[in-house]
Amino acid sequence: MAQHEYSYKPQGPVVDAYVACMGQRAFIMGPLGSSKTNASCWKAFRIMCGQAPDRQGVRRTRLAAIRNTYSDLLTTTAKDWQEMFLPLGHWSAGGREPPCHYLDFDLPDGTRVQAEMIFLALDREEDVKKLRGMQLTAAMLSEVKELPFAILEMLDLRVGRFPSAADGGVTWYGIFGDTNACDTDHWYYALAEEKRPDGWAFFRQPGGLMRASKTSPWRPNPEAENLRNLPGGVLYYVKGAQGKSEDWIAVNLANEYGFVKEGKPVYPDYRDAVMCREFELSRALGITIGLDFGLTPAAIIGQRSVSGQWRYRHEIVTEDTGIQRFGLELKRFLGEHYSGWHINGIYGDPAGGQRQAGDVEERTSFQLLGAIGIEATPAPGDNDIVLRIEAFSAPMRQMIDGEPGMLIHPDAKTLRKACQGGYAYKRIKVVGSERYRDMPDKDKYSHPADAGQYLVLGGGGNVTVLGGSPIATDDYAAFRAKMGYQ
């Protein structure tokens, strides 16, 4: 195959700079259709061709192409790679081993390229173990925002190991990848916009759409890249915005940092612009704490004001943390921020009354917390999910003396995202209709959301207002019937 058929064609100043970058950690963020994946593939191909030949005149490399799931990896990243470079080698669909493309072709200078592109799906921190022992030249990451940072940390130690020093060593090694815009509480945002560590390069493409301000209408961005390869050119983005939410357009088409809702939000009445702002709790009123247990325990700290407004000031969100370690962290946090404050009550998931597996004394979560000085009790309500959701969401539909019925402090980032739509009913894939599960999805947003519900129930929120009439919820069967549930 003639080499000129595999020459990179410029796509735009930002994406071209990304392809040419020789930094050992380089990433590009751009809108849909901006040729990000294509650029990453070309970057990988140039690394293969740029490796110094060994004594036999062979340029040897081994790369890993990584995405969060195999379905996305094989239908997008691998498919793009195959369309570009499949004729230069043979494809192994895998089985016990991951899919791999083995490239073997000659260059005009008389040397030969022999390279491997291994396709791996890694979406959880425990997937780090898949990388242990791998000897790689470099790694190409697709949709970086979907990958835990622990994956990058391990990859950083697995690249630059092939070919070995005995076979001539590595000419260039590193990690590179592409992504759509992420949220401002993502590790990518922290690195690219705040920390900017040495040895890392971040490229941000112009959006396909732009606006003068948050309230201005969207308009085409003449600086958008790859327009000549998009159907309709700049109209690709104009048409793509039709029928989409503002958040979706901002993230996917305008390349702005933000949060996109997935699934059906549990709290459709939440309005972030109105209900999220900075405030401080009143020491005179004390605090109430809600707890969710399990392997990802969470705590929400807040209070109900004299006027009846619910205020959520702090959150503690953990991962893979035992209840005792979580309790010690909660105790440390309270000592640092609320020393001397009165605690009105600490209310947790009633399921915490079950005996903990692995505890030799078979104590419950409440007993384990009590042993370290945290006196928590089960939240009222028989853990009825309908009651919990309604108790927490009812204040969102209220105005009290010109103020919303609830406030979330910006410091409570995960709870805020949960209310914005992270806490959601997962969509069921059914042809021809929009259907969702009956229970909210269990993920990183559900745990602080549940903790917030227990706070409200324990703090007196087991009376909700429907149509202006208060309904006591001591009779849960009557409450569910009133809400339209069987």
Side-chain angles (χ1 to χ4, degrees), residues 34-53:
S34 61
S35 192
K36 303 183 301 299
T37 303
N38 180 279
S40 288
C41 290
W42 271 111
K43 192 173 181 70
F45 184 73
R46 293 179 70 169
I47 292 167
M48 295 173 176
C49 296
Q51 165 67 20

Side-chain angles (χ1 to χ4, degrees), residues 380-395:
D382 276 352
N383 217 6
D384 188 295
I385 184 63
V386 178
L387 170 62
R388 285 163 41 196
I389 290 173
E390 179 59 25
F392 189 85
S393 63

Side-chain angles (χ1 to χ4, degrees), residues 71-124:
S71 59
D72 289 333
L73 180 70
L74 297 178
T75 58
T76 55
T77 309
K79 185 177 180 181
D80 289 345
W81 176 266
Q82 288 174 319
E83 289 178 352
M84 296 170 67
F85 304 118
L86 186 60
L88 296 179
H90 71 275
W91 176 264
S92 172
R96 294 181 63 87
E97 299 295 326
C100 185
H101 186 209
Y102 298 93
L103 295 91
D104 190 352
F105 59 94
D106 294 322
L107 292 179
D109 64 0
T111 61
R112 189 169 189 83
V113 172
Q114 291 184 349
E116 302 172 44
M117 179 62 90
I118 305 168
F119 292 84
L120 283 174
L122 307 171
D123 64 345
R124 297 181 300 274

